[in-house]
Every structure is written in structure tokens, then in C-alpha cells.
Amino acid sequence: MKKSIPVARRALLAGAAAALALPAPALAQARARASVGVLRLSSSGPVFIAHERGYFREAGLDVELKFFTAAQQVPVAVTSNDADFGVTGLTAAFFNLAGRGALKIVAAQSREEPGYNLVAYMVTNAAHERGFRSLRDFAGKRVGITTTGSTFHYSLGLLARKQGFDLASVTLVPLQTLPNMQAAFRGGQVDAILAPVTLARALEADGSGRVLGWVGDETPWQLGALFTSPRAIERNRATVERFVRGYVRGAADFHAAFNARDRGRPVQGPAYRENLEIVARAVQQTPELVSVGLPYVDPEGRLDVGDIHNQIAFWQSLNLVGREVSGREIVDLSFVRGHTNVPRG
């Protein structure tokens, strides 16, 4: 007599048979895993949106977010295989690692753009009273930044070129952290700082100083990028393609929700509140605080490639990046179409 199979076991066997019937690519897609190193900043918003809205899963990836506390930690994590991808601001340290063949830029993160108040030039009240009243007055002053070779350092270098003062005449004071910058500014240990918008608004509100201008309005540039290792591109190109696909969908949502402007004023786009709450949870801040510092993000992940070349040349002029580092060698333009300002030759 034929034994009957229990219902629960029949269901289990049927599920296994169905899985075996799937084509091999579908199984491989279901098993694919990747990790991405991020900071708890709104500029990482496309990653947070893509992760929470399931865009990475729909691209065939199970993505783990790995949070770091400083920009320089993210490329180091990718180099040491602690993360498969990274998104953060571009620094001299990043370019040195990339120049040694450890990193490849594959898409854009945020940009400094006119009308997007992301980083302010702030001057103390005492310095303002002594005549530091315009963006031409940085020469001979003490200016607080996080570290030598940081995004703040580059922003000040661009301003020096535009306004015609000698960057070498400025005393740069590396203070390592934003709380240290805040304390030095309030205590009068520096004349000025370059401050993220939330810090700038706090210093304005308590009467410690005033904003002279915004980096995006004065000197637009490619602030951040998505990157991976050359090894990942060579060995797991399909994984890189899937990640970029999910990331770009997140970037498109970010751009649509936050980047619209009407006569210079922000306009709330589609799913504004939902996406704002996603970003706020990830950065562990209130939605209201996050909303004042949302950067420009290209909806298709397109890079300002020429500016990356300019950044390398700037750091090389200060002997902070090796002469052997080449923009053409550290950027892979094949994962996103339509990159802008691509150098010829």
C-alpha cells in the first residue's frame, strides 16, 4: 500500500522542486550579496532610498549598509574588502588610494550647485568687525577645516582661484571634527570656517557669526562619487551593474523629491515626505533638520568628469597627490551613460 506524504512535507518538496526549476541566472541573482560603505549624511540619500524601497533587491542584490564616521574610512573599507562599494566626498586621500589601483569611480554622488545651500563660508563676529566682510578677504586669515586634503580644503582652493587671493596666504587650521570646528569658531580661535548648512544655521542662530556665501553658488564642483574596486569590476561585473542600477533609481527618486526649484526656492516633489523620512531615519536626524541640507544629486548618476581631473591637478599642485595619478585611470564611465564634461583624448 502506498504511503501518503504529509501535507507540510508535500509543500516543502513542491517548493524545492519549483526552486530547482528556476533558471540558473535567477538562482544566482537571488543569492547575490553586496555591501556599501556610507556616512550618515543626506548626500548618501540615494543609497538609503534604494535600500528601503527595494531597488537593490529588484536588481538582484541583497545589500548591507555599513556605516562609518569619517569620509576617509569609506575608501579604506573598499580597499581592504570590508565593503564592496562606497559613496562619499572626494578627497586627496581618496585619489591617492585610487591612483594605486585600489578604487574606481563608477557614478556620481552629490554636487555643489548654485541654489543648493550645502556648505557655507562663515566668519566670526570679531573678524567681521575687523574688516573680514567679503569672500575676497580670506588672505592672511585663520580658517578652520576638518583635515588637510578634505572637501573643505578643495572648496577654499576653488574660491581662492575665483576671488584672486593666494591660498598659501591663508592659515588652514585642521580641526578633525565638526564639533571641534564649532568650538574653535565660537571661541575665536579661527576667523572663519567652512561649515555644513546645519552647523552654519546653528552658529547663525546663536549669534556666533555670519554666512558670507555658499560654496555651490560660488564654485560648483563634483563633491562625491560612488566607487568600487577594480577587482570587483573584473570578477563580478554583473554585481556592479546591478548595484548601479538600483543606486540610480534611488538617485532619480532623490532628485525628483528634493531638487526642484521655483525662482530659486525649493519645491517639494513626488513622495517628498516619504523620502525625507527615509533619509532622516538613516542619518538619525529629524526630517526638519535634514530638509535644510539636501544636496543636488544627478538623477542618472552622471559625473562631472572634467572636475575630477581638476581636483587631481589641484592636489598635485600642493604635493598632496602623486604625479602618477590619472583621472582617466580611476574613472570607469561604462556603467552610466551621459557623463558630462568628459575630457577629449
Side-chain angles (χ1 to χ4, degrees), residues 36-56 65-67 87 109 247 250-251 254 275-284:
V36 55
V38 294
L39 303 179
R40 293 190 186 275
L41 297 174
S42 59
S43 53
S44 300
V47 173
F48 304 144
I49 292 170
H51 188 261
E52 184 149 336
R53 290 194 175 279
Y55 297 156
F56 291 128
L65 304 186
K66 292 191 172 184
F67 289 98
V87 283
Q109 188 209 37
Y247 173 81
F254 186 103
N275 285 318
L276 185 63
E277 289 175 353
I278 289 172
V279 177
R281 283 194 295 272
V283 304
Q284 299 179 341

PDB file of all heavy atoms in Angstrom, residues 36-56 65-67 87 109 247 250-251 254 275-284:
ATOM      1  N   VAL A  36      27.818  48.186   1.118  1.00  0.00           N
ATOM      2  CA  VAL A  36      28.210  49.536   0.711  1.00  0.00           C
ATOM      3  C   VAL A  36      28.544  50.355   1.950  1.00  0.00           C
ATOM      4  O   VAL A  36      27.783  50.376   2.921  1.00  0.00           O
ATOM      5  CB  VAL A  36      27.098  50.218  -0.130  1.00  0.00           C
ATOM      6  CG1 VAL A  36      25.769  50.239   0.587  1.00  0.00           C
ATOM      7  CG2 VAL A  36      27.519  51.632  -0.519  1.00  0.00           C
ATOM      8  N   GLY A  37      29.695  51.026   1.910  1.00  0.00           N
ATOM      9  CA  GLY A  37      30.110  51.902   2.987  1.00  0.00           C
ATOM     10  C   GLY A  37      29.528  53.291   2.798  1.00  0.00           C
ATOM     11  O   GLY A  37      29.652  53.879   1.722  1.00  0.00           O
ATOM     12  N   VAL A  38      28.877  53.817   3.836  1.00  0.00           N
ATOM     13  CA  VAL A  38      28.227  55.129   3.760  1.00  0.00           C
ATOM     14  C   VAL A  38      28.463  55.899   5.057  1.00  0.00           C
ATOM     15  O   VAL A  38      28.786  55.323   6.103  1.00  0.00           O
ATOM     16  CB  VAL A  38      26.706  55.005   3.524  1.00  0.00           C
ATOM     17  CG1 VAL A  38      26.401  54.421   2.164  1.00  0.00           C
ATOM     18  CG2 VAL A  38      26.056  54.161   4.619  1.00  0.00           C
ATOM     19  N   LEU A  39      28.296  57.212   4.973  1.00  0.00           N
ATOM     20  CA  LEU A  39      28.228  58.064   6.149  1.00  0.00           C
ATOM     21  C   LEU A  39      26.771  58.410   6.407  1.00  0.00           C
ATOM     22  O   LEU A  39      25.943  58.372   5.502  1.00  0.00           O
ATOM     23  CB  LEU A  39      29.027  59.353   5.928  1.00  0.00           C
ATOM     24  CG  LEU A  39      30.505  59.196   5.579  1.00  0.00           C
ATOM     25  CD1 LEU A  39      31.142  60.568   5.381  1.00  0.00           C
ATOM     26  CD2 LEU A  39      31.246  58.420   6.647  1.00  0.00           C
ATOM     27  N   ARG A  40      26.457  58.767   7.639  1.00  0.00           N
ATOM     28  CA  ARG A  40      25.088  59.174   7.961  1.00  0.00           C
ATOM     29  C   ARG A  40      24.893  60.635   7.564  1.00  0.00           C
ATOM     30  O   ARG A  40      24.757  61.527   8.407  1.00  0.00           O
ATOM     31  CB  ARG A  40      24.808  58.954   9.448  1.00  0.00           C
ATOM     32  CG  ARG A  40      24.785  57.481   9.841  1.00  0.00           C
ATOM     33  CD  ARG A  40      24.263  57.288  11.251  1.00  0.00           C
ATOM     34  NE  ARG A  40      24.367  55.905  11.679  1.00  0.00           N
ATOM     35  CZ  ARG A  40      23.465  54.949  11.436  1.00  0.00           C
ATOM     36  NH1 ARG A  40      22.369  55.267  10.754  1.00  0.00           N
ATOM     37  NH2 ARG A  40      23.634  53.718  11.865  1.00  0.00           N
ATOM     38  N   LEU A  41      24.916  60.871   6.248  1.00  0.00           N
ATOM     39  CA  LEU A  41      24.744  62.197   5.675  1.00  0.00           C
ATOM     40  C   LEU A  41      23.665  62.148   4.598  1.00  0.00           C
ATOM     41  O   LEU A  41      23.482  61.117   3.941  1.00  0.00           O
ATOM     42  CB  LEU A  41      26.057  62.694   5.067  1.00  0.00           C
ATOM     43  CG  LEU A  41      27.245  62.891   6.010  1.00  0.00           C
ATOM     44  CD1 LEU A  41      28.493  63.253   5.208  1.00  0.00           C
ATOM     45  CD2 LEU A  41      26.950  63.961   7.040  1.00  0.00           C
ATOM     46  N   SER A  42      22.997  63.276   4.386  1.00  0.00           N
ATOM     47  CA  SER A  42      21.936  63.313   3.375  1.00  0.00           C
ATOM     48  C   SER A  42      22.473  63.073   1.973  1.00  0.00           C
ATOM     49  O   SER A  42      21.728  62.629   1.090  1.00  0.00           O
ATOM     50  CB  SER A  42      21.195  64.648   3.423  1.00  0.00           C
ATOM     51  OG  SER A  42      22.078  65.731   3.196  1.00  0.00           O
ATOM     52  N   SER A  43      23.774  63.328   1.749  1.00  0.00           N
ATOM     53  CA  SER A  43      24.365  63.078   0.430  1.00  0.00           C
ATOM     54  C   SER A  43      24.378  61.588   0.089  1.00  0.00           C
ATOM     55  O   SER A  43      24.517  61.222  -1.078  1.00  0.00           O
ATOM     56  CB  SER A  43      25.777  63.657   0.362  1.00  0.00           C
ATOM     57  OG  SER A  43      26.560  63.195   1.441  1.00  0.00           O
ATOM     58  N   SER A  44      24.239  60.727   1.095  1.00  0.00           N
ATOM     59  CA  SER A  44      24.109  59.285   0.848  1.00  0.00           C
ATOM     60  C   SER A  44      22.659  58.887   0.608  1.00  0.00           C
ATOM     61  O   SER A  44      22.338  57.693   0.512  1.00  0.00           O
ATOM     62  CB  SER A  44      24.666  58.492   2.038  1.00  0.00           C
ATOM     63  OG  SER A  44      26.027  58.775   2.267  1.00  0.00           O
ATOM     64  N   GLY A  45      21.772  59.872   0.488  1.00  0.00           N
ATOM     65  CA  GLY A  45      20.344  59.609   0.346  1.00  0.00           C
ATOM     66  C   GLY A  45      19.951  58.636  -0.744  1.00  0.00           C
ATOM     67  O   GLY A  45      19.065  57.794  -0.533  1.00  0.00           O
ATOM     68  N   PRO A  46      20.567  58.706  -1.952  1.00  0.00           N
ATOM     69  CA  PRO A  46      20.188  57.725  -2.983  1.00  0.00           C
ATOM     70  C   PRO A  46      20.377  56.273  -2.543  1.00  0.00           C
ATOM     71  O   PRO A  46      19.573  55.408  -2.907  1.00  0.00           O
ATOM     72  CB  PRO A  46      21.126  58.076  -4.145  1.00  0.00           C
ATOM     73  CG  PRO A  46      21.372  59.540  -3.981  1.00  0.00           C
ATOM     74  CD  PRO A  46      21.452  59.750  -2.494  1.00  0.00           C
ATOM     75  N   VAL A  47      21.413  56.011  -1.752  1.00  0.00           N
ATOM     76  CA  VAL A  47      21.628  54.654  -1.240  1.00  0.00           C
ATOM     77  C   VAL A  47      20.516  54.283  -0.263  1.00  0.00           C
ATOM     78  O   VAL A  47      19.949  53.181  -0.329  1.00  0.00           O
ATOM     79  CB  VAL A  47      22.997  54.539  -0.554  1.00  0.00           C
ATOM     80  CG1 VAL A  47      23.148  53.172   0.119  1.00  0.00           C
ATOM     81  CG2 VAL A  47      24.116  54.738  -1.558  1.00  0.00           C
ATOM     82  N   PHE A  48      20.185  55.192   0.657  1.00  0.00           N
ATOM     83  CA  PHE A  48      19.161  54.901   1.656  1.00  0.00           C
ATOM     84  C   PHE A  48      17.806  54.651   0.987  1.00  0.00           C
ATOM     85  O   PHE A  48      17.076  53.735   1.376  1.00  0.00           O
ATOM     86  CB  PHE A  48      19.045  56.066   2.646  1.00  0.00           C
ATOM     87  CG  PHE A  48      20.339  56.419   3.334  1.00  0.00           C
ATOM     88  CD1 PHE A  48      20.647  57.750   3.624  1.00  0.00           C
ATOM     89  CD2 PHE A  48      21.234  55.442   3.696  1.00  0.00           C
ATOM     90  CE1 PHE A  48      21.820  58.088   4.258  1.00  0.00           C
ATOM     91  CE2 PHE A  48      22.437  55.768   4.334  1.00  0.00           C
ATOM     92  CZ  PHE A  48      22.723  57.097   4.609  1.00  0.00           C
ATOM     93  N   ILE A  49      17.477  55.464  -0.001  1.00  0.00           N
ATOM     94  CA  ILE A  49      16.197  55.315  -0.699  1.00  0.00           C
ATOM     95  C   ILE A  49      16.157  54.007  -1.486  1.00  0.00           C
ATOM     96  O   ILE A  49      15.171  53.258  -1.430  1.00  0.00           O
ATOM     97  CB  ILE A  49      15.947  56.524  -1.617  1.00  0.00           C
ATOM     98  CG1 ILE A  49      15.704  57.784  -0.773  1.00  0.00           C
ATOM     99  CG2 ILE A  49      14.765  56.267  -2.554  1.00  0.00           C
ATOM    100  CD1 ILE A  49      15.682  59.070  -1.574  1.00  0.00           C
ATOM    101  N   ALA A  50      17.242  53.719  -2.215  1.00  0.00           N
ATOM    102  CA  ALA A  50      17.296  52.481  -2.997  1.00  0.00           C
ATOM    103  C   ALA A  50      17.192  51.255  -2.094  1.00  0.00           C
ATOM    104  O   ALA A  50      16.532  50.261  -2.435  1.00  0.00           O
ATOM    105  CB  ALA A  50      18.586  52.428  -3.813  1.00  0.00           C
ATOM    106  N   HIS A  51      17.822  51.336  -0.921  1.00  0.00           N
ATOM    107  CA  HIS A  51      17.803  50.209   0.014  1.00  0.00           C
ATOM    108  C   HIS A  51      16.407  50.006   0.588  1.00  0.00           C
ATOM    109  O   HIS A  51      15.878  48.882   0.578  1.00  0.00           O
ATOM    110  CB  HIS A  51      18.814  50.468   1.136  1.00  0.00           C
ATOM    111  CG  HIS A  51      19.014  49.306   2.056  1.00  0.00           C
ATOM    112  ND1 HIS A  51      18.386  49.222   3.277  1.00  0.00           N
ATOM    113  CD2 HIS A  51      19.768  48.180   1.943  1.00  0.00           C
ATOM    114  CE1 HIS A  51      18.753  48.095   3.877  1.00  0.00           C
ATOM    115  NE2 HIS A  51      19.578  47.445   3.086  1.00  0.00           N
ATOM    116  N   GLU A  52      15.786  51.069   1.088  1.00  0.00           N
ATOM    117  CA  GLU A  52      14.491  50.915   1.748  1.00  0.00           C
ATOM    118  C   GLU A  52      13.360  50.647   0.760  1.00  0.00           C
ATOM    119  O   GLU A  52      12.420  49.921   1.077  1.00  0.00           O
ATOM    120  CB  GLU A  52      14.169  52.156   2.586  1.00  0.00           C
ATOM    121  CG  GLU A  52      12.883  52.003   3.373  1.00  0.00           C
ATOM    122  CD  GLU A  52      12.893  52.764   4.683  1.00  0.00           C
ATOM    123  OE1 GLU A  52      13.980  53.036   5.220  1.00  0.00           O
ATOM    124  OE2 GLU A  52      11.790  53.093   5.164  1.00  0.00           O
ATOM    125  N   ARG A  53      13.452  51.204  -0.431  1.00  0.00           N
ATOM    126  CA  ARG A  53      12.382  50.996  -1.415  1.00  0.00           C
ATOM    127  C   ARG A  53      12.550  49.701  -2.206  1.00  0.00           C
ATOM    128  O   ARG A  53      11.736  49.389  -3.069  1.00  0.00           O
ATOM    129  CB  ARG A  53      12.307  52.189  -2.363  1.00  0.00           C
ATOM    130  CG  ARG A  53      11.773  53.457  -1.692  1.00  0.00           C
ATOM    131  CD  ARG A  53      11.399  54.510  -2.710  1.00  0.00           C
ATOM    132  NE  ARG A  53      10.785  55.673  -2.098  1.00  0.00           N
ATOM    133  CZ  ARG A  53       9.521  55.785  -1.723  1.00  0.00           C
ATOM    134  NH1 ARG A  53       8.704  54.755  -1.914  1.00  0.00           N
ATOM    135  NH2 ARG A  53       9.059  56.883  -1.175  1.00  0.00           N
ATOM    136  N   GLY A  54      13.599  48.958  -1.922  1.00  0.00           N
ATOM    137  CA  GLY A  54      13.757  47.646  -2.541  1.00  0.00           C
ATOM    138  C   GLY A  54      14.359  47.664  -3.929  1.00  0.00           C
ATOM    139  O   GLY A  54      14.286  46.659  -4.649  1.00  0.00           O
ATOM    140  N   TYR A  55      14.969  48.769  -4.326  1.00  0.00           N
ATOM    141  CA  TYR A  55      15.528  48.845  -5.676  1.00  0.00           C
ATOM    142  C   TYR A  55      16.729  47.922  -5.849  1.00  0.00           C
ATOM    143  O   TYR A  55      16.928  47.371  -6.949  1.00  0.00           O
ATOM    144  CB  TYR A  55      15.917  50.279  -6.018  1.00  0.00           C
ATOM    145  CG  TYR A  55      14.756  51.246  -6.041  1.00  0.00           C
ATOM    146  CD1 TYR A  55      14.953  52.609  -5.841  1.00  0.00           C
ATOM    147  CD2 TYR A  55      13.450  50.807  -6.267  1.00  0.00           C
ATOM    148  CE1 TYR A  55      13.892  53.504  -5.865  1.00  0.00           C
ATOM    149  CE2 TYR A  55      12.379  51.689  -6.285  1.00  0.00           C
ATOM    150  CZ  TYR A  55      12.613  53.039  -6.083  1.00  0.00           C
ATOM    151  OH  TYR A  55      11.566  53.913  -6.103  1.00  0.00           O
ATOM    152  N   PHE A  56      17.522  47.758  -4.817  1.00  0.00           N
ATOM    153  CA  PHE A  56      18.647  46.819  -4.914  1.00  0.00           C
ATOM    154  C   PHE A  56      18.125  45.385  -5.014  1.00  0.00           C
ATOM    155  O   PHE A  56      18.632  44.587  -5.807  1.00  0.00           O
ATOM    156  CB  PHE A  56      19.576  46.954  -3.708  1.00  0.00           C
ATOM    157  CG  PHE A  56      20.352  48.241  -3.655  1.00  0.00           C
ATOM    158  CD1 PHE A  56      20.338  49.030  -2.522  1.00  0.00           C
ATOM    159  CD2 PHE A  56      21.105  48.653  -4.744  1.00  0.00           C
ATOM    160  CE1 PHE A  56      21.057  50.217  -2.464  1.00  0.00           C
ATOM    161  CE2 PHE A  56      21.830  49.838  -4.699  1.00  0.00           C
ATOM    162  CZ  PHE A  56      21.797  50.626  -3.552  1.00  0.00           C
ATOM    163  N   LEU A  65      24.133  47.814   4.412  1.00  0.00           N
ATOM    164  CA  LEU A  65      24.701  49.140   4.632  1.00  0.00           C
ATOM    165  C   LEU A  65      25.705  49.073   5.774  1.00  0.00           C
ATOM    166  O   LEU A  65      25.397  48.568   6.851  1.00  0.00           O
ATOM    167  CB  LEU A  65      23.609  50.150   4.984  1.00  0.00           C
ATOM    168  CG  LEU A  65      22.436  50.316   4.013  1.00  0.00           C
ATOM    169  CD1 LEU A  65      21.547  51.471   4.461  1.00  0.00           C
ATOM    170  CD2 LEU A  65      22.926  50.547   2.597  1.00  0.00           C
ATOM    171  N   LYS A  66      26.899  49.583   5.531  1.00  0.00           N
ATOM    172  CA  LYS A  66      27.927  49.647   6.568  1.00  0.00           C
ATOM    173  C   LYS A  66      28.218  51.121   6.851  1.00  0.00           C
ATOM    174  O   LYS A  66      28.681  51.846   5.963  1.00  0.00           O
ATOM    175  CB  LYS A  66      29.199  48.919   6.120  1.00  0.00           C
ATOM    176  CG  LYS A  66      29.013  47.416   5.995  1.00  0.00           C
ATOM    177  CD  LYS A  66      30.342  46.701   5.818  1.00  0.00           C
ATOM    178  CE  LYS A  66      30.167  45.193   5.895  1.00  0.00           C
ATOM    179  NZ  LYS A  66      31.476  44.483   5.816  1.00  0.00           N
ATOM    180  N   PHE A  67      27.959  51.548   8.071  1.00  0.00           N
ATOM    181  CA  PHE A  67      28.077  52.957   8.410  1.00  0.00           C
ATOM    182  C   PHE A  67      29.456  53.279   8.977  1.00  0.00           C
ATOM    183  O   PHE A  67      29.991  52.535   9.808  1.00  0.00           O
ATOM    184  CB  PHE A  67      26.999  53.350   9.410  1.00  0.00           C
ATOM    185  CG  PHE A  67      25.623  53.378   8.812  1.00  0.00           C
ATOM    186  CD1 PHE A  67      24.763  52.298   8.960  1.00  0.00           C
ATOM    187  CD2 PHE A  67      25.188  54.474   8.077  1.00  0.00           C
ATOM    188  CE1 PHE A  67      23.494  52.317   8.405  1.00  0.00           C
ATOM    189  CE2 PHE A  67      23.922  54.501   7.519  1.00  0.00           C
ATOM    190  CZ  PHE A  67      23.075  53.430   7.680  1.00  0.00           C
ATOM    191  N   VAL A  87      30.253  55.303  -1.025  1.00  0.00           N
ATOM    192  CA  VAL A  87      29.823  56.617  -1.503  1.00  0.00           C
ATOM    193  C   VAL A  87      30.260  57.648  -0.472  1.00  0.00           C
ATOM    194  O   VAL A  87      29.931  57.537   0.707  1.00  0.00           O
ATOM    195  CB  VAL A  87      28.294  56.713  -1.719  1.00  0.00           C
ATOM    196  CG1 VAL A  87      27.862  56.033  -2.988  1.00  0.00           C
ATOM    197  CG2 VAL A  87      27.525  56.162  -0.538  1.00  0.00           C
ATOM    198  N   GLN A 109      27.808  60.939  -6.861  1.00  0.00           N
ATOM    199  CA  GLN A 109      27.020  61.102  -5.644  1.00  0.00           C
ATOM    200  C   GLN A 109      26.443  62.516  -5.679  1.00  0.00           C
ATOM    201  O   GLN A 109      25.681  62.836  -6.581  1.00  0.00           O
ATOM    202  CB  GLN A 109      27.888  60.861  -4.395  1.00  0.00           C
ATOM    203  CG  GLN A 109      27.103  60.816  -3.084  1.00  0.00           C
ATOM    204  CD  GLN A 109      27.911  61.278  -1.885  1.00  0.00           C
ATOM    205  OE1 GLN A 109      28.709  62.208  -1.996  1.00  0.00           O
ATOM    206  NE2 GLN A 109      27.716  60.639  -0.745  1.00  0.00           N
ATOM    207  N   TYR A 247      21.081  51.862  -7.473  1.00  0.00           N
ATOM    208  CA  TYR A 247      21.525  53.166  -6.969  1.00  0.00           C
ATOM    209  C   TYR A 247      20.954  54.305  -7.800  1.00  0.00           C
ATOM    210  O   TYR A 247      20.471  55.309  -7.254  1.00  0.00           O
ATOM    211  CB  TYR A 247      23.046  53.209  -6.979  1.00  0.00           C
ATOM    212  CG  TYR A 247      23.628  54.563  -6.636  1.00  0.00           C
ATOM    213  CD1 TYR A 247      23.751  54.972  -5.318  1.00  0.00           C
ATOM    214  CD2 TYR A 247      24.057  55.440  -7.635  1.00  0.00           C
ATOM    215  CE1 TYR A 247      24.276  56.213  -4.998  1.00  0.00           C
ATOM    216  CE2 TYR A 247      24.576  56.676  -7.327  1.00  0.00           C
ATOM    217  CZ  TYR A 247      24.693  57.065  -6.006  1.00  0.00           C
ATOM    218  OH  TYR A 247      25.204  58.294  -5.698  1.00  0.00           O
ATOM    219  N   GLY A 250      17.473  55.077  -6.988  1.00  0.00           N
ATOM    220  CA  GLY A 250      17.416  55.858  -5.760  1.00  0.00           C
ATOM    221  C   GLY A 250      17.771  57.317  -6.006  1.00  0.00           C
ATOM    222  O   GLY A 250      17.153  58.226  -5.439  1.00  0.00           O
ATOM    223  N   ALA A 251      18.769  57.548  -6.865  1.00  0.00           N
ATOM    224  CA  ALA A 251      19.171  58.916  -7.209  1.00  0.00           C
ATOM    225  C   ALA A 251      18.042  59.648  -7.930  1.00  0.00           C
ATOM    226  O   ALA A 251      17.808  60.843  -7.692  1.00  0.00           O
ATOM    227  CB  ALA A 251      20.426  58.887  -8.078  1.00  0.00           C
ATOM    228  N   PHE A 254      15.494  60.639  -5.322  1.00  0.00           N
ATOM    229  CA  PHE A 254      16.042  61.734  -4.517  1.00  0.00           C
ATOM    230  C   PHE A 254      15.910  63.047  -5.274  1.00  0.00           C
ATOM    231  O   PHE A 254      15.436  64.056  -4.747  1.00  0.00           O
ATOM    232  CB  PHE A 254      17.509  61.441  -4.187  1.00  0.00           C
ATOM    233  CG  PHE A 254      18.154  62.424  -3.256  1.00  0.00           C
ATOM    234  CD1 PHE A 254      18.351  62.101  -1.919  1.00  0.00           C
ATOM    235  CD2 PHE A 254      18.590  63.668  -3.691  1.00  0.00           C
ATOM    236  CE1 PHE A 254      18.957  62.995  -1.041  1.00  0.00           C
ATOM    237  CE2 PHE A 254      19.192  64.580  -2.839  1.00  0.00           C
ATOM    238  CZ  PHE A 254      19.372  64.244  -1.501  1.00  0.00           C
ATOM    239  N   ASN A 275      10.289  60.113   1.223  1.00  0.00           N
ATOM    240  CA  ASN A 275      11.735  60.018   1.003  1.00  0.00           C
ATOM    241  C   ASN A 275      12.515  60.793   2.056  1.00  0.00           C
ATOM    242  O   ASN A 275      13.605  60.376   2.467  1.00  0.00           O
ATOM    243  CB  ASN A 275      12.081  60.517  -0.405  1.00  0.00           C
ATOM    244  CG  ASN A 275      11.696  59.516  -1.475  1.00  0.00           C
ATOM    245  OD1 ASN A 275      11.906  58.324  -1.315  1.00  0.00           O
ATOM    246  ND2 ASN A 275      11.124  59.988  -2.567  1.00  0.00           N
ATOM    247  N   LEU A 276      11.971  61.910   2.510  1.00  0.00           N
ATOM    248  CA  LEU A 276      12.622  62.673   3.573  1.00  0.00           C
ATOM    249  C   LEU A 276      12.709  61.839   4.848  1.00  0.00           C
ATOM    250  O   LEU A 276      13.742  61.833   5.534  1.00  0.00           O
ATOM    251  CB  LEU A 276      11.859  63.963   3.836  1.00  0.00           C
ATOM    252  CG  LEU A 276      12.486  64.928   4.853  1.00  0.00           C
ATOM    253  CD1 LEU A 276      13.845  65.426   4.371  1.00  0.00           C
ATOM    254  CD2 LEU A 276      11.547  66.108   5.119  1.00  0.00           C
ATOM    255  N   GLU A 277      11.668  61.120   5.150  1.00  0.00           N
ATOM    256  CA  GLU A 277      11.674  60.287   6.353  1.00  0.00           C
ATOM    257  C   GLU A 277      12.647  59.123   6.223  1.00  0.00           C
ATOM    258  O   GLU A 277      13.293  58.727   7.208  1.00  0.00           O
ATOM    259  CB  GLU A 277      10.259  59.787   6.647  1.00  0.00           C
ATOM    260  CG  GLU A 277       9.343  60.906   7.149  1.00  0.00           C
ATOM    261  CD  GLU A 277       7.909  60.471   7.322  1.00  0.00           C
ATOM    262  OE1 GLU A 277       7.584  59.320   6.932  1.00  0.00           O
ATOM    263  OE2 GLU A 277       7.104  61.275   7.845  1.00  0.00           O
ATOM    264  N   ILE A 278      12.785  58.565   5.019  1.00  0.00           N
ATOM    265  CA  ILE A 278      13.780  57.509   4.794  1.00  0.00           C
ATOM    266  C   ILE A 278      15.177  58.031   5.083  1.00  0.00           C
ATOM    267  O   ILE A 278      15.970  57.406   5.810  1.00  0.00           O
ATOM    268  CB  ILE A 278      13.697  56.979   3.350  1.00  0.00           C
ATOM    269  CG1 ILE A 278      12.424  56.168   3.136  1.00  0.00           C
ATOM    270  CG2 ILE A 278      14.928  56.119   3.012  1.00  0.00           C
ATOM    271  CD1 ILE A 278      12.175  55.773   1.689  1.00  0.00           C
ATOM    272  N   VAL A 279      15.506  59.191   4.530  1.00  0.00           N
ATOM    273  CA  VAL A 279      16.831  59.773   4.738  1.00  0.00           C
ATOM    274  C   VAL A 279      17.029  60.139   6.209  1.00  0.00           C
ATOM    275  O   VAL A 279      18.088  59.888   6.792  1.00  0.00           O
ATOM    276  CB  VAL A 279      17.038  61.006   3.839  1.00  0.00           C
ATOM    277  CG1 VAL A 279      18.392  61.658   4.112  1.00  0.00           C
ATOM    278  CG2 VAL A 279      16.941  60.609   2.368  1.00  0.00           C
ATOM    279  N   ALA A 280      16.002  60.705   6.830  1.00  0.00           N
ATOM    280  CA  ALA A 280      16.104  61.128   8.230  1.00  0.00           C
ATOM    281  C   ALA A 280      16.373  59.939   9.151  1.00  0.00           C
ATOM    282  O   ALA A 280      17.194  60.030  10.080  1.00  0.00           O
ATOM    283  CB  ALA A 280      14.827  61.848   8.651  1.00  0.00           C
ATOM    284  N   ARG A 281      15.702  58.821   8.912  1.00  0.00           N
ATOM    285  CA  ARG A 281      15.950  57.634   9.738  1.00  0.00           C
ATOM    286  C   ARG A 281      17.388  57.162   9.590  1.00  0.00           C
ATOM    287  O   ARG A 281      18.036  56.776  10.568  1.00  0.00           O
ATOM    288  CB  ARG A 281      14.981  56.509   9.348  1.00  0.00           C
ATOM    289  CG  ARG A 281      13.582  56.676   9.885  1.00  0.00           C
ATOM    290  CD  ARG A 281      12.778  55.402   9.757  1.00  0.00           C
ATOM    291  NE  ARG A 281      12.545  55.036   8.368  1.00  0.00           N
ATOM    292  CZ  ARG A 281      11.510  55.476   7.645  1.00  0.00           C
ATOM    293  NH1 ARG A 281      10.632  56.325   8.172  1.00  0.00           N
ATOM    294  NH2 ARG A 281      11.351  55.081   6.392  1.00  0.00           N
ATOM    295  N   ALA A 282      17.891  57.179   8.364  1.00  0.00           N
ATOM    296  CA  ALA A 282      19.247  56.683   8.122  1.00  0.00           C
ATOM    297  C   ALA A 282      20.310  57.585   8.752  1.00  0.00           C
ATOM    298  O   ALA A 282      21.316  57.096   9.275  1.00  0.00           O
ATOM    299  CB  ALA A 282      19.492  56.551   6.617  1.00  0.00           C
ATOM    300  N   VAL A 283      20.110  58.895   8.699  1.00  0.00           N
ATOM    301  CA  VAL A 283      21.113  59.818   9.243  1.00  0.00           C
ATOM    302  C   VAL A 283      20.868  60.127  10.708  1.00  0.00           C
ATOM    303  O   VAL A 283      21.644  60.838  11.341  1.00  0.00           O
ATOM    304  CB  VAL A 283      21.183  61.129   8.428  1.00  0.00           C
ATOM    305  CG1 VAL A 283      21.463  60.838   6.969  1.00  0.00           C
ATOM    306  CG2 VAL A 283      19.914  61.950   8.575  1.00  0.00           C
ATOM    307  N   GLN A 284      19.755  59.603  11.250  1.00  0.00           N
ATOM    308  CA  GLN A 284      19.409  59.744  12.671  1.00  0.00           C
ATOM    309  C   GLN A 284      19.233  61.211  13.065  1.00  0.00           C
ATOM    310  O   GLN A 284      19.753  61.667  14.085  1.00  0.00           O
ATOM    311  CB  GLN A 284      20.450  59.033  13.542  1.00  0.00           C
ATOM    312  CG  GLN A 284      20.525  57.547  13.271  1.00  0.00           C
ATOM    313  CD  GLN A 284      21.560  56.816  14.111  1.00  0.00           C
ATOM    314  OE1 GLN A 284      22.478  57.430  14.662  1.00  0.00           O
ATOM    315  NE2 GLN A 284      21.435  55.512  14.219  1.00  0.00           N
TER     316      GLN A 284
END
